[in-house]
Amino acid sequence: MNIALIGYGKMGKEIEKIALQRNHSIGLKINKTSAQTFSKKDLESIDVAIEFSTPETVLKNIGICFDAGTPVVVGTTGWYQHFKQIELNCHQKKAALFHATNYSVGVNLFMKVNAYLAQLMNNYPNYEVSMEEIHHIHKLDKPSGTAITLANQIIEKLDQKTGWSITERAPDKLYINDIREGEVPGTHIIKYQSSIDDIEIMHKAHNRQGFALGAVIAAEFLKGKTGIYDMSHVI
């Protein structure tokens, strides 16, 4: 495939390495400078775009891909409040979108464990659930998109929780402690605590390779398709 990298930071460079190892070519690289003039004309020879930019630019980039008829894999988070509109635009233009808050295969397996554990714990309300997520200081959104996905899974299964919060600990809220330090790729910890004992599950990324590999696998899956897909379609 001929791939466009929309967002050529640390993640974009890691995706490039994986893509080349899997015998793909990189036909376009959009960085902060070239993003100013990026248009659908740039995508004429591109099979699939992989988008890892910023919450401020992601909607514009998705729109350009839709207009060009280029399938787009989106790894940027912090934009899901606009998902319904993007979904509508995708269907209207018969475009292709692959979205995920995290492309790591390990994280997506962790999400399945998280949902199952929350279902079990709904029968034991004496346990208080909370979450801690740790990421590098360059991450722009708080909490992480992965943390929000994990939180929503828990809220769906636990009758006692109706939402999440990063500012207050309330009986009906899942508290998320979001930490930004160093160059941490990503750690997510779910804790169930009682006066008797604690139950804890954790996913800890050692590097960005897992995220990059997942994004390239998603691009390979998306080529030639229309519609909306996520990691459940490839796990």
Side-chain angles (χ1 to χ4, degrees):
M1 296 187 302
N2 195 24
I3 297 173
L5 297 177
I6 305 174
Y8 193 60
K10 291 180 179 179
M11 182 58 73
K13 291 180 174 65
E14 195 65 47
I15 291 170
E16 180 179 32
K17 291 179 188 176
I18 300 287
L20 294 176
Q21 288 170 5
R22 293 171 74 89
N23 298 316
H24 302 303
S25 60
I26 306 300
L28 178 68
K29 301 174 189 177
I30 300 296
N31 56 29
K32 289 181 179 180
T33 302
S34 56
Q36 306 301 318
T37 58
F38 174 47
S39 70
K40 69 177 185 179
K41 184 176 176 58
D42 298 317
L43 297 169
E44 287 179 351
S45 63
I46 298 299
D47 295 311
V48 180
I50 302 179
E51 208 280 351
F52 275 82
S53 63
T54 69
E56 292 75 30
T57 58
V58 60
L59 296 179
K60 173 190 172 185
N61 293 335
I62 293 173
I64 292 172
C65 291
F66 284 0
D67 289 342
T70 302
V72 57
V73 174
V74 179
T76 305
T77 56
W79 62 275
Y80 278 86
Q81 67 272 28
H82 304 288
F83 184 78
K84 289 295 184 184
Q85 184 59 50
I86 292 295
E87 182 180 39
L88 179 62
N89 290 346
C90 184
H91 290 312
Q92 286 178 340
K93 296 184 178 181
K94 294 182 172 54
L97 170 70
F98 195 111
H99 67 95
T101 55
N102 196 307
Y103 282 87
S104 162
V105 171
V107 163
N108 282 274
L109 293 172
F110 180 69
M111 287 177 178
K112 291 186 178 296
V113 173
N114 176 58
Y116 181 62
L117 178 58
Q119 180 180 336
L120 293 175
M121 296 306 293
N122 192 45
N123 296 319
Y124 303 93
N126 55 307
Y127 285 87
E128 176 60 28
V129 62
S130 63
M131 186 189 310
E132 181 173 281
E133 61 102 340
I134 311 168
H135 282 87
H136 51 85
I137 58 174
H138 314 290
K139 188 165 181 60
L140 299 177
D141 52 323
K142 295 178 67 175
S144 71
T146 302
I148 292 173
T149 299
L150 291 166
N152 287 338
Q153 287 182 317
I154 293 169
I155 293 162
E156 182 181 344
K157 302 294 185 181
L158 289 187
D159 295 337
Q160 68 198 70
K161 298 299 180 185
T162 61
W164 56 265
S165 175
I166 60 174
T167 58
E168 63 173 335
R169 294 179 182 267
D172 63 335
K173 295 289 190 297
L174 168 61
Y175 177 68
I176 303 175
N177 182 21
D178 51 350
I179 300 169
R180 298 292 176 267
E181 62 182 27
E183 296 295 332
V184 178
T187 299
H188 295 85
I189 305 168
I190 314 293
K191 301 178 182 179
Y192 290 87
Q193 298 174 294
S194 76
S195 59
I196 299 173
D197 56 15
D198 295 349
I199 300 170
E200 183 175 304
I201 59 173
M202 176 181 74
H203 179 273
K204 182 177 183 179
H206 299 306
N207 50 54
R208 293 181 172 85
Q209 291 178 8
F211 310 122
L213 175 59
V216 175
I217 290 173
E220 293 168 347
F221 171 87
L222 194 62
K223 181 186 176 185
K225 291 183 173 66
T226 60
I228 297 178
Y229 304 90
D230 58 38
M231 287 299 286
S232 69
H233 294 96
V234 297
I235 290 294

